[in-house]
Amino acid sequence: MDWWRTAVVYQVYPRSFADSDGNGIGDLEGVRAHVDHLVALGVDAVWLSPFYPSALADGGYDIDDYRDVAPELGTLADFDAMTEALHAHGIKVVVDIVPNHTSDRHRWFPAALAAGRGSDERDRYVFREGKGPDGAEPPTDWESDFGGSAWTRVEDGQWYLHLFAPEQPDLNWDRRDVREEFLTTLRFWADRGVDGFRVDVANLLVKDLTEPLPDRAALRTLTDGNHPYEDRDAVQEVYAEWRALFDTYDPPRMAVAEAWVPAHRRARYASPQGLGQAFNFDLLTAPWAPGAWRDVITENLDLAAESGSTSTWVLSNHDVIRHPTRYGITAAAGQPNEIGYIPAFGVDPSITVDEDLGARRARAATLLMLALPGSAYVYQGEELGLFEVADIPAEQRQDPTFFRTGGQRLGRDGCRVPLPWTSEPPSFGFSPADASAPPHLPQPAWFGGFSVEREAGDDASSLSLYRAALRLRRALTRGEGLTWEASAPEVLHVVRQGGWHVLTNFGAEPAAVPAGEVVLTSAPLVDGQVPADTTVWVRA
Ligand code: NOJ
């Protein structure tokens, strides 16, 4: 069977994982040096967020050179050494590919500016004339994902499109040379032994910008496949070509689409003729409620079957509020938005966090997620039960979202704070003791209590729970099936083939433990029953 179908994939955000050379920035040697942590945790693969040369206008998702390593993170030789160390333990390596946009420092963008209007070089991006007198207004009122206009004007008066930061100009995927360039990049990493690719905003590449262009209000009303840049059917032609390339390797390289599309469009990205797997982010936006979880699980297992893939499950990543915080946020804040983010979090003082409740629900959610058929994606630090860091001073923030919204949205820095490895300040083992610079985002004092070192020696810690869960998951999984057992309305009771019972109690009333041997619980049983906000695993 394809390894990725049931894999637990651990996401590394390289700048914040471990700093081996003391410059305050995590690096590839830091990953290599901590392979033991990944082995002890029991993951099947590592996905690395971008480690390529970048000015960090968007945390590395603004790439200057797709076939190199950022000098502050190491060298290609370090990448090879890291890959070899992971492979030596049977851990696969997945790299992030960002095809929708380059950085404005990529060799193509200055060439596009220099070559001027109507040139081939400019046509690799999306340049347009502006509107109004002298073309001084942007071609449309479209907004960038990080706030502000999606267009920026260049010196000679033309405007270019950037769906994200101005330093991330969108590419023109109608062009053959753009397509060839990415095939070369994919081959470059696949030849180096990379096992798979995570494809950034896989739904945005292909655009139809035939004029007149709809305005922002009209964009919202457009139906499937008719949007000028979101989820156009023709984007699958790009991935069919990528699939043909991946399948020339033995074993074929895997790919997972990051595509924030409605659930019923997801199967297109997950098809075996395309990328093969797609992120299902539905648990990020689902409330902590049995009906919502049951619907998400049922729908996604059906969709996975429809696509010929397996489902993926995600509770945290580098773009959203860490799930122990998310589950502790007061109801008054409402639901997370469409990307699992609560925009006013940390800004609106009426939004408070009950950390005990959040941590308890996060543990229960994690054990339910890890018991589901398919593949689970775990984000660095979630194994430690880390909370979001809300109190990063404005002058130390990095996320363009913070700056482009005038601080109205804190952005994503709070889930990207460097990991605590030991309980020793100043950097909690993130950097060597004689480091020349502090961690690139400030760590709060409470991080010491969540360190790998401390939690490894504590049976009740989050780390111990994750380690036990991943070990048992391997031992208990038999086949892809899942059935629902009748249960009280506030309880979900799932049975996996081979007699693995998983019961989550979302309600206040205690629930009975299924018959069999209790092998893991997210919180201690009370009087032999499953208390509120608790998941139990039972071998029948
Ligand atoms: C999705 C990535 O996960 C996010 O971090 C990034 O800002 C955008 N794509 C733009 O590349």
PDB file of all heavy atoms in Angstrom, residues 282-300 313 335 368 484 489-490 492 506:
ATOM      1  N   ASP A 282     -11.534  20.491   7.583  1.00  0.00           N
ATOM      2  CA  ASP A 282     -12.859  20.701   8.183  1.00  0.00           C
ATOM      3  C   ASP A 282     -12.849  20.644   9.710  1.00  0.00           C
ATOM      4  O   ASP A 282     -13.689  21.256  10.357  1.00  0.00           O
ATOM      5  CB  ASP A 282     -13.855  19.686   7.620  1.00  0.00           C
ATOM      6  CG  ASP A 282     -14.078  19.892   6.130  1.00  0.00           C
ATOM      7  OD1 ASP A 282     -13.589  20.913   5.597  1.00  0.00           O
ATOM      8  OD2 ASP A 282     -14.716  19.045   5.488  1.00  0.00           O
ATOM      9  N   LEU A 283     -11.895  19.899  10.290  1.00  0.00           N
ATOM     10  CA  LEU A 283     -11.859  19.867  11.758  1.00  0.00           C
ATOM     11  C   LEU A 283     -11.362  21.188  12.343  1.00  0.00           C
ATOM     12  O   LEU A 283     -11.623  21.499  13.502  1.00  0.00           O
ATOM     13  CB  LEU A 283     -10.968  18.725  12.259  1.00  0.00           C
ATOM     14  CG  LEU A 283     -11.506  17.309  12.032  1.00  0.00           C
ATOM     15  CD1 LEU A 283     -10.505  16.279  12.562  1.00  0.00           C
ATOM     16  CD2 LEU A 283     -12.858  17.110  12.699  1.00  0.00           C
ATOM     17  N   LEU A 284     -10.643  21.972  11.530  1.00  0.00           N
ATOM     18  CA  LEU A 284     -10.159  23.268  12.019  1.00  0.00           C
ATOM     19  C   LEU A 284     -11.317  24.229  12.234  1.00  0.00           C
ATOM     20  O   LEU A 284     -11.237  25.134  13.053  1.00  0.00           O
ATOM     21  CB  LEU A 284      -9.212  23.911  11.008  1.00  0.00           C
ATOM     22  CG  LEU A 284      -7.871  23.240  10.786  1.00  0.00           C
ATOM     23  CD1 LEU A 284      -7.103  23.979   9.705  1.00  0.00           C
ATOM     24  CD2 LEU A 284      -7.082  23.276  12.067  1.00  0.00           C
ATOM     25  N   THR A 285     -12.350  24.057  11.445  1.00  0.00           N
ATOM     26  CA  THR A 285     -13.454  25.008  11.513  1.00  0.00           C
ATOM     27  C   THR A 285     -14.656  24.423  12.269  1.00  0.00           C
ATOM     28  O   THR A 285     -15.602  25.137  12.547  1.00  0.00           O
ATOM     29  CB  THR A 285     -13.893  25.430  10.097  1.00  0.00           C
ATOM     30  OG1 THR A 285     -14.198  24.261   9.362  1.00  0.00           O
ATOM     31  CG2 THR A 285     -12.796  26.181   9.382  1.00  0.00           C
ATOM     32  N   ALA A 286     -14.590  23.133  12.598  1.00  0.00           N
ATOM     33  CA  ALA A 286     -15.733  22.505  13.274  1.00  0.00           C
ATOM     34  C   ALA A 286     -15.757  22.890  14.755  1.00  0.00           C
ATOM     35  O   ALA A 286     -14.716  22.898  15.413  1.00  0.00           O
ATOM     36  CB  ALA A 286     -15.642  20.988  13.156  1.00  0.00           C
ATOM     37  N   PRO A 287     -16.930  23.181  15.298  1.00  0.00           N
ATOM     38  CA  PRO A 287     -17.015  23.422  16.740  1.00  0.00           C
ATOM     39  C   PRO A 287     -16.806  22.114  17.504  1.00  0.00           C
ATOM     40  O   PRO A 287     -16.902  21.029  16.920  1.00  0.00           O
ATOM     41  CB  PRO A 287     -18.448  23.933  16.920  1.00  0.00           C
ATOM     42  CG  PRO A 287     -19.202  23.398  15.758  1.00  0.00           C
ATOM     43  CD  PRO A 287     -18.222  23.264  14.625  1.00  0.00           C
ATOM     44  N   TRP A 288     -16.523  22.224  18.795  1.00  0.00           N
ATOM     45  CA  TRP A 288     -16.358  21.031  19.633  1.00  0.00           C
ATOM     46  C   TRP A 288     -17.758  20.507  19.979  1.00  0.00           C
ATOM     47  O   TRP A 288     -18.339  20.830  21.014  1.00  0.00           O
ATOM     48  CB  TRP A 288     -15.553  21.382  20.885  1.00  0.00           C
ATOM     49  CG  TRP A 288     -15.348  20.221  21.805  1.00  0.00           C
ATOM     50  CD1 TRP A 288     -15.825  20.078  23.078  1.00  0.00           C
ATOM     51  CD2 TRP A 288     -14.612  19.030  21.537  1.00  0.00           C
ATOM     52  NE1 TRP A 288     -15.439  18.877  23.598  1.00  0.00           N
ATOM     53  CE2 TRP A 288     -14.694  18.209  22.675  1.00  0.00           C
ATOM     54  CE3 TRP A 288     -13.892  18.559  20.421  1.00  0.00           C
ATOM     55  CZ2 TRP A 288     -14.077  16.956  22.749  1.00  0.00           C
ATOM     56  CZ3 TRP A 288     -13.282  17.321  20.483  1.00  0.00           C
ATOM     57  CH2 TRP A 288     -13.378  16.539  21.640  1.00  0.00           C
ATOM     58  N   ALA A 289     -18.314  19.721  19.065  1.00  0.00           N
ATOM     59  CA  ALA A 289     -19.685  19.234  19.237  1.00  0.00           C
ATOM     60  C   ALA A 289     -19.805  17.920  18.459  1.00  0.00           C
ATOM     61  O   ALA A 289     -19.268  17.798  17.354  1.00  0.00           O
ATOM     62  CB  ALA A 289     -20.678  20.255  18.692  1.00  0.00           C
ATOM     63  N   PRO A 290     -20.495  16.922  19.045  1.00  0.00           N
ATOM     64  CA  PRO A 290     -20.510  15.588  18.430  1.00  0.00           C
ATOM     65  C   PRO A 290     -21.120  15.577  17.030  1.00  0.00           C
ATOM     66  O   PRO A 290     -20.609  14.888  16.136  1.00  0.00           O
ATOM     67  CB  PRO A 290     -21.339  14.752  19.410  1.00  0.00           C
ATOM     68  CG  PRO A 290     -22.075  15.726  20.271  1.00  0.00           C
ATOM     69  CD  PRO A 290     -21.254  16.967  20.304  1.00  0.00           C
ATOM     70  N   GLY A 291     -22.201  16.341  16.835  1.00  0.00           N
ATOM     71  CA  GLY A 291     -22.847  16.323  15.517  1.00  0.00           C
ATOM     72  C   GLY A 291     -21.910  16.851  14.448  1.00  0.00           C
ATOM     73  O   GLY A 291     -21.790  16.278  13.354  1.00  0.00           O
ATOM     74  N   ALA A 292     -21.217  17.945  14.771  1.00  0.00           N
ATOM     75  CA  ALA A 292     -20.309  18.555  13.793  1.00  0.00           C
ATOM     76  C   ALA A 292     -19.173  17.579  13.456  1.00  0.00           C
ATOM     77  O   ALA A 292     -18.819  17.387  12.286  1.00  0.00           O
ATOM     78  CB  ALA A 292     -19.747  19.854  14.352  1.00  0.00           C
ATOM     79  N   TRP A 293     -18.617  16.938  14.471  1.00  0.00           N
ATOM     80  CA  TRP A 293     -17.517  15.991  14.223  1.00  0.00           C
ATOM     81  C   TRP A 293     -18.012  14.799  13.405  1.00  0.00           C
ATOM     82  O   TRP A 293     -17.346  14.362  12.471  1.00  0.00           O
ATOM     83  CB  TRP A 293     -16.906  15.527  15.552  1.00  0.00           C
ATOM     84  CG  TRP A 293     -15.823  16.456  16.017  1.00  0.00           C
ATOM     85  CD1 TRP A 293     -15.987  17.735  16.447  1.00  0.00           C
ATOM     86  CD2 TRP A 293     -14.416  16.187  16.058  1.00  0.00           C
ATOM     87  NE1 TRP A 293     -14.763  18.280  16.768  1.00  0.00           N
ATOM     88  CE2 TRP A 293     -13.780  17.355  16.543  1.00  0.00           C
ATOM     89  CE3 TRP A 293     -13.624  15.081  15.747  1.00  0.00           C
ATOM     90  CZ2 TRP A 293     -12.395  17.445  16.721  1.00  0.00           C
ATOM     91  CZ3 TRP A 293     -12.246  15.165  15.933  1.00  0.00           C
ATOM     92  CH2 TRP A 293     -11.638  16.335  16.408  1.00  0.00           C
ATOM     93  N   ARG A 294     -19.168  14.304  13.760  1.00  0.00           N
ATOM     94  CA  ARG A 294     -19.666  13.135  13.035  1.00  0.00           C
ATOM     95  C   ARG A 294     -19.891  13.482  11.556  1.00  0.00           C
ATOM     96  O   ARG A 294     -19.537  12.720  10.657  1.00  0.00           O
ATOM     97  CB  ARG A 294     -20.957  12.615  13.674  1.00  0.00           C
ATOM     98  CG  ARG A 294     -21.404  11.330  13.038  1.00  0.00           C
ATOM     99  CD  ARG A 294     -22.574  10.712  13.760  1.00  0.00           C
ATOM    100  NE  ARG A 294     -22.992   9.563  12.955  1.00  0.00           N
ATOM    101  CZ  ARG A 294     -23.466   8.443  13.417  1.00  0.00           C
ATOM    102  NH1 ARG A 294     -23.617   8.284  14.707  1.00  0.00           N
ATOM    103  NH2 ARG A 294     -23.811   7.474  12.613  1.00  0.00           N
ATOM    104  N   ASP A 295     -20.464  14.660  11.305  1.00  0.00           N
ATOM    105  CA  ASP A 295     -20.694  15.077   9.915  1.00  0.00           C
ATOM    106  C   ASP A 295     -19.377  15.204   9.154  1.00  0.00           C
ATOM    107  O   ASP A 295     -19.260  14.760   8.018  1.00  0.00           O
ATOM    108  CB  ASP A 295     -21.427  16.429   9.874  1.00  0.00           C
ATOM    109  CG  ASP A 295     -22.874  16.296  10.320  1.00  0.00           C
ATOM    110  OD1 ASP A 295     -23.341  15.150  10.470  1.00  0.00           O
ATOM    111  OD2 ASP A 295     -23.519  17.349  10.528  1.00  0.00           O
ATOM    112  N   VAL A 296     -18.402  15.839   9.779  1.00  0.00           N
ATOM    113  CA  VAL A 296     -17.111  16.028   9.109  1.00  0.00           C
ATOM    114  C   VAL A 296     -16.474  14.669   8.788  1.00  0.00           C
ATOM    115  O   VAL A 296     -15.967  14.435   7.688  1.00  0.00           O
ATOM    116  CB  VAL A 296     -16.157  16.879   9.988  1.00  0.00           C
ATOM    117  CG1 VAL A 296     -14.728  16.807   9.480  1.00  0.00           C
ATOM    118  CG2 VAL A 296     -16.630  18.333  10.040  1.00  0.00           C
ATOM    119  N   ILE A 297     -16.510  13.777   9.757  1.00  0.00           N
ATOM    120  CA  ILE A 297     -15.874  12.464   9.564  1.00  0.00           C
ATOM    121  C   ILE A 297     -16.586  11.703   8.442  1.00  0.00           C
ATOM    122  O   ILE A 297     -15.948  11.194   7.507  1.00  0.00           O
ATOM    123  CB  ILE A 297     -15.884  11.659  10.886  1.00  0.00           C
ATOM    124  CG1 ILE A 297     -14.995  12.352  11.926  1.00  0.00           C
ATOM    125  CG2 ILE A 297     -15.422  10.218  10.644  1.00  0.00           C
ATOM    126  CD1 ILE A 297     -15.158  11.836  13.360  1.00  0.00           C
ATOM    127  N   THR A 298     -17.902  11.651   8.519  1.00  0.00           N
ATOM    128  CA  THR A 298     -18.657  10.880   7.522  1.00  0.00           C
ATOM    129  C   THR A 298     -18.440  11.452   6.131  1.00  0.00           C
ATOM    130  O   THR A 298     -18.141  10.716   5.177  1.00  0.00           O
ATOM    131  CB  THR A 298     -20.171  10.940   7.864  1.00  0.00           C
ATOM    132  OG1 THR A 298     -20.318  10.571   9.227  1.00  0.00           O
ATOM    133  CG2 THR A 298     -20.969  10.016   6.987  1.00  0.00           C
ATOM    134  N   GLU A 299     -18.578  12.756   6.015  1.00  0.00           N
ATOM    135  CA  GLU A 299     -18.456  13.369   4.689  1.00  0.00           C
ATOM    136  C   GLU A 299     -17.061  13.143   4.103  1.00  0.00           C
ATOM    137  O   GLU A 299     -16.904  12.829   2.927  1.00  0.00           O
ATOM    138  CB  GLU A 299     -18.750  14.872   4.771  1.00  0.00           C
ATOM    139  CG  GLU A 299     -18.662  15.528   3.399  1.00  0.00           C
ATOM    140  CD  GLU A 299     -18.977  17.020   3.401  1.00  0.00           C
ATOM    141  OE1 GLU A 299     -18.758  17.688   4.418  1.00  0.00           O
ATOM    142  OE2 GLU A 299     -19.441  17.499   2.346  1.00  0.00           O
ATOM    143  N   ASN A 300     -16.040  13.278   4.939  1.00  0.00           N
ATOM    144  CA  ASN A 300     -14.687  13.170   4.398  1.00  0.00           C
ATOM    145  C   ASN A 300     -14.285  11.744   4.077  1.00  0.00           C
ATOM    146  O   ASN A 300     -13.494  11.520   3.149  1.00  0.00           O
ATOM    147  CB  ASN A 300     -13.687  13.861   5.327  1.00  0.00           C
ATOM    148  CG  ASN A 300     -13.727  15.354   5.099  1.00  0.00           C
ATOM    149  OD1 ASN A 300     -13.256  15.836   4.070  1.00  0.00           O
ATOM    150  ND2 ASN A 300     -14.354  16.082   6.010  1.00  0.00           N
ATOM    151  N   TRP A 313      -6.393  14.489   8.067  1.00  0.00           N
ATOM    152  CA  TRP A 313      -6.987  15.154   9.233  1.00  0.00           C
ATOM    153  C   TRP A 313      -5.982  16.136   9.802  1.00  0.00           C
ATOM    154  O   TRP A 313      -4.795  15.809   9.904  1.00  0.00           O
ATOM    155  CB  TRP A 313      -7.371  14.114  10.297  1.00  0.00           C
ATOM    156  CG  TRP A 313      -8.215  13.011   9.725  1.00  0.00           C
ATOM    157  CD1 TRP A 313      -7.796  11.756   9.386  1.00  0.00           C
ATOM    158  CD2 TRP A 313      -9.617  13.069   9.398  1.00  0.00           C
ATOM    159  NE1 TRP A 313      -8.854  11.034   8.866  1.00  0.00           N
ATOM    160  CE2 TRP A 313      -9.982  11.814   8.864  1.00  0.00           C
ATOM    161  CE3 TRP A 313     -10.590  14.068   9.502  1.00  0.00           C
ATOM    162  CZ2 TRP A 313     -11.274  11.529   8.441  1.00  0.00           C
ATOM    163  CZ3 TRP A 313     -11.888  13.785   9.075  1.00  0.00           C
ATOM    164  CH2 TRP A 313     -12.215  12.524   8.551  1.00  0.00           C
ATOM    165  N   GLN A 335     -17.395  31.371  16.056  1.00  0.00           N
ATOM    166  CA  GLN A 335     -16.663  30.275  15.431  1.00  0.00           C
ATOM    167  C   GLN A 335     -15.426  30.784  14.708  1.00  0.00           C
ATOM    168  O   GLN A 335     -15.386  31.926  14.275  1.00  0.00           O
ATOM    169  CB  GLN A 335     -17.581  29.586  14.412  1.00  0.00           C
ATOM    170  CG  GLN A 335     -18.629  28.733  15.069  1.00  0.00           C
ATOM    171  CD  GLN A 335     -18.001  27.707  16.002  1.00  0.00           C
ATOM    172  OE1 GLN A 335     -17.039  27.054  15.645  1.00  0.00           O
ATOM    173  NE2 GLN A 335     -18.510  27.609  17.208  1.00  0.00           N
ATOM    174  N   LEU A 368      -9.246  11.384  19.177  1.00  0.00           N
ATOM    175  CA  LEU A 368     -10.281  11.007  18.203  1.00  0.00           C
ATOM    176  C   LEU A 368      -9.710  11.120  16.787  1.00  0.00           C
ATOM    177  O   LEU A 368      -9.856  10.211  15.964  1.00  0.00           O
ATOM    178  CB  LEU A 368     -11.525  11.891  18.392  1.00  0.00           C
ATOM    179  CG  LEU A 368     -12.689  11.663  17.434  1.00  0.00           C
ATOM    180  CD1 LEU A 368     -13.081  10.190  17.339  1.00  0.00           C
ATOM    181  CD2 LEU A 368     -13.916  12.487  17.865  1.00  0.00           C
ATOM    182  N   TRP A 484     -20.104   3.183  13.127  1.00  0.00           N
ATOM    183  CA  TRP A 484     -20.581   3.978  14.258  1.00  0.00           C
ATOM    184  C   TRP A 484     -21.428   3.081  15.145  1.00  0.00           C
ATOM    185  O   TRP A 484     -22.332   2.404  14.673  1.00  0.00           O
ATOM    186  CB  TRP A 484     -21.448   5.139  13.763  1.00  0.00           C
ATOM    187  CG  TRP A 484     -20.692   6.131  12.929  1.00  0.00           C
ATOM    188  CD1 TRP A 484     -20.612   6.158  11.568  1.00  0.00           C
ATOM    189  CD2 TRP A 484     -19.908   7.228  13.399  1.00  0.00           C
ATOM    190  NE1 TRP A 484     -19.819   7.210  11.162  1.00  0.00           N
ATOM    191  CE2 TRP A 484     -19.379   7.880  12.266  1.00  0.00           C
ATOM    192  CE3 TRP A 484     -19.590   7.722  14.670  1.00  0.00           C
ATOM    193  CZ2 TRP A 484     -18.559   8.994  12.363  1.00  0.00           C
ATOM    194  CZ3 TRP A 484     -18.778   8.842  14.760  1.00  0.00           C
ATOM    195  CH2 TRP A 484     -18.273   9.465  13.614  1.00  0.00           C
ATOM    196  N   PRO A 489     -26.570  11.081  22.753  1.00  0.00           N
ATOM    197  CA  PRO A 489     -26.370  12.189  21.802  1.00  0.00           C
ATOM    198  C   PRO A 489     -25.049  12.946  21.979  1.00  0.00           C
ATOM    199  O   PRO A 489     -24.480  13.410  21.008  1.00  0.00           O
ATOM    200  CB  PRO A 489     -27.552  13.128  22.078  1.00  0.00           C
ATOM    201  CG  PRO A 489     -28.515  12.373  22.910  1.00  0.00           C
ATOM    202  CD  PRO A 489     -27.833  11.180  23.488  1.00  0.00           C
ATOM    203  N   GLU A 490     -24.540  13.031  23.187  1.00  0.00           N
ATOM    204  CA  GLU A 490     -23.311  13.801  23.414  1.00  0.00           C
ATOM    205  C   GLU A 490     -22.043  12.949  23.275  1.00  0.00           C
ATOM    206  O   GLU A 490     -20.951  13.410  23.608  1.00  0.00           O
ATOM    207  CB  GLU A 490     -23.348  14.434  24.821  1.00  0.00           C
ATOM    208  CG  GLU A 490     -24.390  15.539  24.956  1.00  0.00           C
ATOM    209  CD  GLU A 490     -24.119  16.689  23.986  1.00  0.00           C
ATOM    210  OE1 GLU A 490     -23.037  17.291  24.068  1.00  0.00           O
ATOM    211  OE2 GLU A 490     -24.980  16.969  23.133  1.00  0.00           O
ATOM    212  N   LEU A 492     -19.666  10.182  20.845  1.00  0.00           N
ATOM    213  CA  LEU A 492     -19.397   9.502  19.572  1.00  0.00           C
ATOM    214  C   LEU A 492     -18.644   8.221  19.896  1.00  0.00           C
ATOM    215  O   LEU A 492     -17.683   8.232  20.681  1.00  0.00           O
ATOM    216  CB  LEU A 492     -18.546  10.375  18.643  1.00  0.00           C
ATOM    217  CG  LEU A 492     -19.199  11.630  18.078  1.00  0.00           C
ATOM    218  CD1 LEU A 492     -18.247  12.334  17.095  1.00  0.00           C
ATOM    219  CD2 LEU A 492     -20.532  11.321  17.378  1.00  0.00           C
ATOM    220  N   PHE A 506     -18.436  14.285  24.571  1.00  0.00           N
ATOM    221  CA  PHE A 506     -18.450  15.744  24.429  1.00  0.00           C
ATOM    222  C   PHE A 506     -19.321  16.402  25.508  1.00  0.00           C
ATOM    223  O   PHE A 506     -19.309  17.624  25.654  1.00  0.00           O
ATOM    224  CB  PHE A 506     -19.037  16.149  23.065  1.00  0.00           C
ATOM    225  CG  PHE A 506     -18.196  15.779  21.863  1.00  0.00           C
ATOM    226  CD1 PHE A 506     -18.189  14.486  21.356  1.00  0.00           C
ATOM    227  CD2 PHE A 506     -17.441  16.745  21.225  1.00  0.00           C
ATOM    228  CE1 PHE A 506     -17.438  14.155  20.242  1.00  0.00           C
ATOM    229  CE2 PHE A 506     -16.679  16.426  20.095  1.00  0.00           C
ATOM    230  CZ  PHE A 506     -16.675  15.125  19.600  1.00  0.00           C
TER     231      PHE A 506
END
